[in-house]
Amino acid sequence: MNDRIGGFEKKLEEGDGIADFAEQLRVGQELAGMVEDERDFAVIRQLFARASPHMRRLGSLALEAIAHRWYADAAPLALRHLDDGFDWVEYDCMRFFLNQAPLDAATLQRLDDKLARTRNAFITRLAEPGLLALRALAASYEVPMRAVEAKGFRFQLPETWQITREVADAVTFSAPAIDWLEQSKNPCRNEFLLQVVRDVDPAELEELAEVNLEGFGVETTIDHPDLVRYAGSRAMRYGTQETYPTVRIREVRTYRTMLLCMDTKSPLAHLERTLARNLAILDSIQPL
């Protein structure tokens, strides 16, 4: 990391202190991807302490691209530098929060306060629709449930969710898309997939269920007390390498010669808001 920073600083000096933004952005994103431990993150933090606004912006570009797993370390740094004094650093710090999509009242209030006092038109154009989108997302997590029937099953879903994909043996329901988020790095999608595999050989049913419960790729399993009694039939995971991870709760059930596979998907950042709802969806599923 220090070699990449040193290389950028050398080019900055050779350019008489004028930053090549494309190179600055590329190096910042590379630095974000290189953070593996606290020592690496300290390198990003040290950039913010530099006198040069261009070196601070290298830090803010890295912060803007950093993975969600570093949010607890990165958020206080971004809050502090919302008032860095260099417009583009402040802009990147606002983008950091809008990418990470925090919904806690305290953070949203700090972002509102920054929007109210800024004279930076770029921050205003970014933050006004971005903060409205986050509040719309927060409101969507409070939508009441309604009964739904599909593929021979009855279950409960938020009343605003609609079918977004359907094939012979599967159907996907999704929360309404929020346009601003859809165009961002982190769309914060919430979905439910129901898949029915019929006429399975009873001798193969158990093995097929086990295979469908297994994870895909490099994933982290979340152990939660509410899932203990579903060991072997329900698991909660998220992609370890995802910048903005999606939590998937997968459940499999067998009915004679039929396999039922279900998935709920929601942002890891909003697990506290979505877990009870998503478990309620799975618990509600019953054959007609």
Side-chain angles (χ1 to χ4, degrees), residues 111-147:
L111 301 181
D112 278 338
D113 292 345
K114 176 60 181 178
L115 176 59
R117 67 178 180 270
T118 189
R119 296 182 179 179
N120 184 329
F122 291 100
I123 290 179
T124 300
R125 286 199 293 269
L126 172 72
E128 281 185 346
L131 290 172
L132 285 174
L134 292 188
R135 287 193 162 83
L137 179 62
S140 75
Y141 290 144
E142 305 301 325
V143 170
M145 307 282 268
R146 65 181 174 94

Side-chain angles (χ1 to χ4, degrees), residues 12-284:
L12 188 63
E13 292 171 354
E14 292 172 349
D16 295 325
I18 299 174
D20 178 339
F21 177 67
E23 173 70 8
Q24 192 177 32
L25 177 62
R26 182 166 52 252
V27 174
Q29 292 175 339
E30 288 177 5
L31 293 174
M34 296 168 72
V35 176
E36 296 293 339
D37 55 32
E38 292 287 349
R39 182 177 298 178
D40 294 336
F41 187 82
V43 175
I44 305 297
R45 183 182 286 109
Q46 289 162 9
L47 286 171
F48 282 88
R50 301 286 290 272
S52 165
H54 297 301
M55 298 307 291
R56 293 204 306 280
R57 191 172 196 202
L58 183 62
S60 66
L61 287 169
L63 199 69
E64 187 267 337
I66 206 159
H68 176 74
R69 64 182 178 273
W70 290 103
Y71 182 80
D73 294 278
L77 189 60
L79 282 173
R80 187 158 60 250
H81 287 274
L82 278 173
D83 293 306
D84 178 87
F86 184 43
D87 283 351
W88 290 115
V89 170
E90 295 179 5
Y91 175 83
D92 293 338
C93 289
M94 180 64 78
R95 280 183 59 86
F96 163 82
F97 284 109
L98 296 178
N99 288 342
Q100 296 288 343
L103 299 181
D104 63 285
T107 300
L108 291 179
Q109 186 60 56
R110 291 286 298 274
L111 301 181
D112 278 338
D113 292 345
K114 176 60 181 178
L115 176 59
R117 67 178 180 270
T118 189
R119 296 182 179 179
N120 184 329
F122 291 100
I123 290 179
T124 300
R125 286 199 293 269
L126 172 72
E128 281 185 346
L131 290 172
L132 285 174
L134 292 188
R135 287 193 162 83
L137 179 62
S140 75
Y141 290 144
E142 305 301 325
V143 170
M145 307 282 268
R146 65 181 174 94
V148 178
E149 294 181 2
K151 305 300 179 185
F153 289 83
R154 179 185 293 112
F155 43 93
Q156 296 282 319
L157 284 178
E159 62 183 16
T160 56
W161 289 27
Q162 299 293 331
I163 293 174
T164 51
R165 185 173 184 271
E166 186 169 15
V167 294
D169 63 348
V171 59
T172 299
F173 293 83
S174 303
I178 297 173
D179 289 344
W180 191 91
L181 290 175
E182 286 293 317
Q183 298 171 37
S184 74
K185 292 183 178 181
N186 184 14
C188 296
R189 297 190 180 102
N190 286 262
E191 297 179 344
F192 170 64
L193 167 68
L194 179 75
Q195 183 174 17
V196 182
V197 183
R198 304 182 190 276
D199 302 321
V200 180
D201 184 335
E204 300 176 356
L205 197 56
E206 185 175 340
E207 181 180 355
L208 186 60
E210 183 178 338
V211 168
N212 275 274
L213 190 63
E214 291 178 356
F216 300 93
V218 181
E219 295 188 309
T220 296
T221 297
I222 301 175
D223 295 320
H224 193 278
D226 290 349
L227 273 67
V228 171
R229 63 193 177 100
Y230 294 97
S233 64
R234 188 183 288 184
M236 180 161 52
R237 305 185 181 96
Y238 66 89
T240 306
Q241 301 303 314
E242 294 176 13
T243 302
Y244 309 108
T246 295
V247 172
R248 183 175 73 247
I249 306 177
R250 169 163 291 190
E251 181 171 347
V252 295
R253 298 182 195 171
T254 57
Y255 296 90
R256 299 187 180 87
T257 61
M258 180 174 64
L259 176 68
L260 177 64
C261 301
M262 302 158 285
D263 270 326
T264 65
K265 298 180 181 179
S266 297
L268 176 62
H270 307 151
L271 183 60
E272 290 185 1
R273 289 176 177 253
T274 62
L275 179 59
R277 181 201 66 188
N278 290 347
L279 292 176
I281 291 172
L282 297 176
D283 290 342
S284 72

